Amino acid sequence: EPEVTQTPSHQVTQMGQEVILRCVPISNHLYFYWYRQILGQKVEFLVSFYNNEISEKSEIFDDQFSVERPDGSNFTLKIRSTKLEDSAMYFCASSERDLPITQYFGPGTRLTVL
Amino acid sequence: DQQVKQNSPSLSVQEGRISILNCDYTNSMFDYFLWYKKYPAEGPTFLISISSIKDKNEDGRFTVFLNKSAKHLSLHIVPSQPGDSAVYFCAAIPNTGNQFYFGTGTSLTVIP
């Protein structure tokens, strides 16, 4: 069964550094999403992406965040200057059509900001 | 603001019995609801969904009930199996956009 993959599984970085989290969505999917889950809290929507542009973003997704689909297979989340409170699990998801069709989630990247 | 609430952080059930996971929401604009299951070190996986025009949806051992007037939905698992042990997230989508609003999750343990 096709699956969404994410790399790395765990990223440790110093506060103020830039990080790029990578995702490979399912190949025929057209809609892409990033979520995060701070330890012990709910899963939060960050951004959705379609046709090479952001279609929706939450208030969490401020100027320090950006997304890109650089090569037609990868979907990346860049955090420009990481803060301690960015430490979380970051989940990528993709779907074939727009919601409310189900999304397929990747296994997540654990980001630790020191 | 917690628009989707799962008030029970954990639940333990004997194998073969019914598991009932509950979810409450506050936003009357939500019109589609989903349940996700999450195992450790894995992303959430879709389990079952329900549209606001229905009050029940069934898929095998899993049934979701929606009570719109009470802004409450529940997931029933019958019979519960040890492999059902996981964290279950309730999620809701408003009719105004495509953002998911997740609950904080309920950790289900099915005891053999």
Side-chain angles (χ1 to χ4, degrees):
Chain A
E1 186 175 338
E3 58 181 15
V4 176
T5 59
Q6 290 185 244
T7 54
S9 58
H10 190 189
Q11 173 87 47
V12 181
T13 189
Q14 294 288 330
M15 189 170 58
Q17 296 295 305
E18 175 183 286
V19 294
I20 298 176
L21 310 182
R22 291 184 166 78
C23 168
V24 179
I26 294 172
S27 61
N28 64 332
H29 285 187
L30 302 176
Y31 297 83
F32 314 110
Y33 312 86
W34 282 101
Y35 296 84
R36 77 173 185 192
Q37 184 183 22
I38 296 171
L39 186 64
Q41 299 185 23
K42 61 184 177 179
V43 177
E44 299 172 294
F45 169 81
L46 292 178
V47 65
S48 58
F49 191 85
Y50 169 71
N51 200 26
N52 281 320
E53 60 183 30
I54 291 173
S55 49
E56 193 167 359
K57 61 182 181 179
S58 72
E59 57 190 26
I60 301 169
F61 193 87
D62 60 22
D63 291 343
Q64 70 163 150
F65 292 95
S66 62
V67 289
E68 193 178 29
R69 190 152 160 80
D71 57 13
S73 62
N74 288 282
F75 179 51
T76 61
L77 174 69
K78 182 190 289 186
I79 309 175
R80 259 179 275 282
S81 177
T82 50
K83 299 179 283 206
L84 295 176
E85 54 264 37
D86 294 328
S87 295
M89 281 291 289
Y90 287 81
F91 294 102
C92 170
S94 70
S95 63
E96 189 175 0
R97 301 196 297 274
D98 201 357
L99 290 176
I101 198 73
T102 58
Q103 297 177 1
Y104 290 81
F105 283 78
T109 292
R110 177 168 297 284
L111 175 65
T112 301
V113 182
L114 302 176
Chain B
D1 62 339
Q2 192 72 29
Q3 298 191 48
V4 178
K5 300 178 185 178
Q6 292 175 256
N7 291 319
S8 298
S10 63
L11 175 68
S12 290
V13 172
Q14 289 286 337
E15 180 179 4
R17 306 293 286 268
I18 184 171
S19 295
I20 300 176
L21 296 100
N22 293 304
C23 178
D24 297 292
Y25 62 95
T26 57
N27 190 341
S28 58
M29 303 296 279
F30 289 147
D31 67 350
Y32 201 82
F33 304 90
L34 307 93
W35 283 95
Y36 282 81
K37 181 168 71 172
K38 184 182 178 308
Y39 293 116
E42 295 183 14
T45 55
F46 171 74
L47 199 55
I48 193 169
S49 64
I50 189 166
S51 164
S52 60
I53 62 173
K54 294 186 174 182
D55 55 17
K56 178 182 174 181
N57 188 27
E58 193 171 352
D59 183 3
R61 297 186 296 113
F62 302 92
T63 303
V64 56
F65 295 92
L66 176 62
N67 182 334
K68 282 174 56 182
S69 60
K71 293 191 176 67
H72 176 84
L73 66 155
S74 60
L75 174 68
H76 292 208
I77 306 173
V78 181
S80 301
Q81 299 172 354
D84 295 330
S85 297
V87 176
Y88 289 79
F89 290 98
C90 167
I93 306 169
N95 58 14
T96 53
N98 62 2
Q99 281 197 31
F100 273 48
Y101 291 82
F102 282 88
T104 48
T106 296
S107 177
L108 173 66
T109 301
V110 179
I111 304 164

